[in-house]
Amino acid sequence: MSIQNVTVAGGGVLGSQIAFQSAFCGFNVKIWLRSESSIERAQPKIDRLNDIYLQTLEAMKTNPLAYCRGFTDKKKLSDEEIDQLKANVCKAYENIDMTTSYKEAAEDADLIIEAIAEDPQQKIPFYEQLAKYMPEKTILVTNSSTLLPSTFAKYTGRPEKYLALHFANEIWKNNTAEVMGHSQTDEKYYEEVAQFAQDINMVPLRLKKEQPGYILNSMLVPFLSAAEALYATDVADPETIDLTWKLATGAPAGPFAILDVVGLTTAYNIVMMNPEVNNPESVHAKIAAKLKEKIDAGKTGVNAGEGFYKYD
């Protein structure tokens, strides 16, 4: 099957990026959202991505360091070639549809990418409802950060066509797509998903078996958790922790700047899945409280204009 029609379920930090990148690469894209208010929250993210793509491409005309792998694998482009990519951005922006209808989201979909909250109690009802409307052809993948596809396969109605496809944040620059099946995933659909990842200018990274957190988050989540623990137990403030990491390693960003990109809601959902969070004296409970304080203040990260840092 040739994938042409793509639906992304969820318009959060990564859902909006996956949708925009897919549309930029020529796919027909819909975004499914729970409510009209969700659409109102998703639209500014699409607006922001449109600006980022256009501004970055324009910068590539004079600054080779502006190059992003998610735009093209060709590093040296003429101004005319860059203008064509900019035209693709404008077309993508105009052609992304948003809907709150399961039927509209699923009826023509060749591929549905689930990118809703990192919470089994939200994912399971979503899959059960979606299963009523998906045509036989539809492949279903999850972009879950830490949860295993085998946990949800039985709720999808198509375990053989269900697997994980996990993206890194800022996918136009960090163009990785981790492909992870489960025991019932048919190899045919695994390879179709890997090909789709390549078709949207990602590098498909094939996992041989299920792993919570895939490759990337198996390394990233413990790193971020260690930084959160230092902050939550009042060892140091976020700015000092980030500065320590950057000065000592040469890294361009520290853990709290990374958390702002990931989104504090996602970070909160991940820590809330740890059973230790129910012990108010545990470090996990303290991390959750710190993150919840930020979230309640509307400081959820880059897309909100402020998280641990402020953004233009």
Side-chain angles (χ1 to χ4, degrees):
M1 181 188 76
S2 176
I3 293 173
Q4 294 181 321
N5 302 320
V6 178
T7 293
V8 179
V13 174
L14 261 174
S16 58
Q17 292 180 30
I18 297 165
F20 200 88
Q21 180 71 19
S22 299
F24 168 69
C25 291
F27 290 85
N28 304 318
V29 176
K30 294 178 183 176
I31 303 177
W32 175 87
L33 296 150
R34 292 187 184 278
S35 63
E36 290 299 325
S37 61
S38 297
I39 291 177
E40 292 174 5
R41 290 191 295 272
Q43 187 60 53
K45 297 182 180 71
I46 298 299
D47 296 344
R48 176 175 175 269
L49 289 167
N50 182 64
D51 291 343
I52 288 172
Y53 277 52
L54 290 175
Q55 290 170 13
T56 306
L57 284 164
E58 185 63 28
M60 283 169 55
K61 291 180 178 180
T62 55
N63 180 10
L65 296 178
Y67 168 73
C68 292
R69 298 186 302 268
F71 292 156
T72 174
D73 59 4
K74 186 178 177 182
K75 290 188 176 181
K76 293 184 178 180
L77 298 169
S78 67
D79 286 0
E80 290 76 16
E81 288 172 316
I82 290 174
D83 286 339
Q84 181 56 57
L85 291 176
K86 290 176 68 176
N88 293 348
V89 173
C90 295
K91 184 177 179 181
Y93 180 73
E94 294 296 330
N95 290 341
I96 293 174
D97 292 326
M98 298 190 191
T99 182
T100 60
S101 164
Y102 282 94
K103 182 177 184 296
E104 289 180 10
E107 59 186 355
D108 296 322
D110 299 312
L111 175 67
I112 296 178
I113 303 170
E114 175 266 303
I116 66 175
E118 194 74 351
D119 177 3
Q121 299 310 310
Q122 295 191 45
K123 291 184 188 293
I124 291 171
F126 168 78
Y127 288 138
E128 290 177 329
Q129 188 69 12
L130 186 68
K132 301 175 184 178
Y133 299 98
M134 281 188 293
E136 178 63 26
K137 67 174 183 175
T138 306
I139 302 170
L140 178 62
V141 301
T142 179
N143 180 57
S144 170
S145 299
T146 56
L147 302 172
L148 296 175
S150 59
T151 303
F152 305 103
K154 66 181 179 181
Y155 302 106
T156 67
R158 58 193 63 221
E160 77 286 355
K161 295 187 181 75
Y162 177 64
L163 60 153
L165 181 64
H166 180 254
F167 296 84
N169 261 296
E170 298 188 338
I171 65 176
W172 62 94
K173 295 190 293 185
N174 307 320
N175 63 329
T176 63
E178 297 171 278
V179 187
M180 183 174 76
H182 59 95
S183 62
Q184 297 180 69
T185 303
D186 188 313
E187 185 69 17
K188 172 186 175 182
Y189 303 112
Y190 182 100
E191 290 301 325
E192 286 195 29
V193 169
Q195 182 60 55
F196 167 76
Q198 189 168 317
D199 290 342
I200 61 169
N201 297 339
M202 301 295 107
V203 177
L205 303 169
R206 291 172 168 82
L207 277 74
K208 297 179 179 180
K209 63 179 183 179
E210 283 190 306
Q211 163 65 28
Y214 312 82
I215 300 169
L216 175 60
N217 282 338
S218 292
M219 298 182 285
L220 180 62
V221 170
F223 165 63
L224 297 178
S225 296
E228 289 170 326
L230 291 170
Y231 168 51
T233 55
D234 295 322
V235 172
D237 58 47
E239 292 82 0
T240 302
I241 296 167
D242 277 8
L243 181 62
T244 302
W245 183 256
K246 291 191 290 182
L247 290 177
T249 66
F256 290 94
I258 293 171
L259 280 164
D260 277 352
V261 174
V262 170
L264 272 58
T265 301
T266 296
Y268 176 78
N269 287 335
I270 289 172
V271 75
M272 287 300 292
M273 287 188 290
N274 191 307
E276 288 296 316
V277 80
N278 295 314
N279 174 6
E281 299 302 316
S282 73
V283 68
H284 303 287
K286 292 176 181 179
I287 292 170
K290 290 280 193 180
L291 292 172
K292 187 67 162 55
E293 184 180 328
K294 289 279 189 183
I295 292 167
D296 288 347
K299 300 174 182 179
T300 57
V302 172
N303 276 301
E306 184 173 358
F308 290 99
Y309 300 96
K310 290 185 177 181
Y311 303 89
D312 293 334

